Amino acid sequence: AAEIQKFKEFNVYKEVKDIGQSTISTRWVVTHKGEVVKARLVARGFEEFSYAQCDAPTVTKPCLRMAFFIARSNRWNVESLDVTSAFLQSDDIVREVYIKPPADIRTSGVVWLLKKPLYGLGESARLWYMTLKRQLIELGCKMSMLDKSVFLYFGNSNKLQGLVVTHVDDLFYAGGTNFKKNIIQPILNTFKISRMKTGVFVYLGWSVRQEDEYISV
């Protein structure tokens, strides 16, 4: 029920009459995190052949280490956040994709026309990356020439004021007051966030701890 509520909240699909369209089937994927049980509806994307571009940059470890170094050099707090159901918050999908909902929520004679990229489709991760990239650039960030998952913010000066590292729906960031006001706050206003951590957190499997004089990873 919670997953379908997210679909409605993010306007993921439109119900249309089944007139024999080529459809992709779906399935529920259930995960357990401690005592929390989550069910996610996933498209079986392997059932279709698509020419859609699928690559989505993710941060390299050397660039992530450099981001920690820059943050420490500028005495910025290191922070992270997770975007809730990131793929569902992407820009609209640019091709027609019809899916057949699982039997427990299916309406006879109806299929779903997707508006948002569903988990399981080949291009979903890229569409989310392009959405986030567009948002960061519109806010004034510049994409790093070394790593397409790193975005730098200079504001109206030539001095770096902050940076954002993206890895699918996990964001790491650090910066000054203007950076947080002009970049992070608009991101929080645009996307629904599930978790935010400062100083001590786990990012991409690395345990991060910030002390007064150093950052340990």
Side-chain angles (χ1 to χ4, degrees):
E3 180 77 349
I4 299 304
Q5 185 58 42
K6 287 181 183 178
F7 277 32
K8 293 178 180 178
E9 178 183 354
F10 298 131
N11 196 25
V12 172
Y13 68 92
K14 176 183 178 181
E15 290 188 335
V16 298
K17 184 178 180 180
D18 184 356
I19 55 173
Q21 302 97 321
S22 177
T23 59
I24 302 171
S25 64
T26 55
R27 58 168 294 190
W28 290 108
V29 175
V30 179
T31 57
H32 298 261
K33 292 186 177 180
E35 297 182 355
V36 179
V37 179
K38 292 185 177 181
R40 171 170 287 170
L41 187 61
V42 176
R44 305 179 77 182
F46 61 86
E47 293 180 349
E48 70 165 352
F49 181 81
S50 170
Y51 289 101
Q53 192 171 351
C54 299
D55 59 303
T58 52
V59 68
T60 62
K61 288 186 176 180
C63 283
L64 184 55
R65 290 185 184 276
M66 181 63 70
F68 287 127
F69 175 79
I70 293 172
R72 175 66 194 99
S73 298
N74 287 277
R75 296 186 176 275
W76 294 332
N77 289 333
V78 293
E79 304 179 65
S80 71
L81 62 82
D82 287 351
V83 180
T84 300
S85 303
F87 292 180
L88 306 185
Q89 298 194 64
S90 300
D91 292 335
D92 288 354
I93 197 167
V94 295
R95 64 188 181 96
E96 286 192 355
V97 180
Y98 296 92
I99 66 168
K100 183 177 293 185
D104 57 317
I105 58 172
R106 187 180 306 161
T107 300
S108 179
V110 170
V111 294
W112 291 0
L113 171 62
L114 287 184
K115 295 183 176 181
K116 303 290 184 180
L118 196 63
Y119 292 94
L121 293 183
E123 71 264 42
S124 294
R126 178 174 178 81
L127 285 173
W128 163 245
Y129 167 79
M130 296 301 292
T131 300
L132 184 58
K133 173 186 173 181
R134 175 186 56 76
Q135 182 74 15
L136 289 169
I137 290 177
E138 286 180 357
L139 291 171
C141 286
K142 296 182 179 179
M143 187 174 67
S144 168
M145 296 178 64
L146 298 177
D147 192 317
K148 292 182 179 180
S149 63
V150 178
F151 296 84
L152 310 173
Y153 179 68
F154 295 91
N156 296 322
S157 69
N158 292 322
K159 183 179 180 181
L160 183 65
Q161 297 185 36
L163 57 85
V164 179
V165 174
T166 69
H167 191 97
V168 193
D169 56 355
D170 294 327
L171 274 62
F172 164 85
Y173 60 95
T177 302
N178 286 338
F179 165 75
K180 291 182 179 180
K181 175 184 176 182
N182 297 326
I183 303 300
I184 300 304
Q185 192 56 54
I187 290 294
L188 299 181
N189 293 340
T190 301
F191 302 111
K192 188 173 182 180
I193 308 301
S194 61
R195 179 188 64 85
M196 298 181 67
K197 296 288 185 180
T198 302
V200 180
F201 52 87
V202 175
Y203 188 74
L204 306 185
W206 289 5
S207 296
V208 180
R209 176 179 293 274
Q210 184 170 30
E211 303 292 351
D212 289 341
E213 297 302 323
Y214 62 88
I215 299 173
S216 65
V217 178

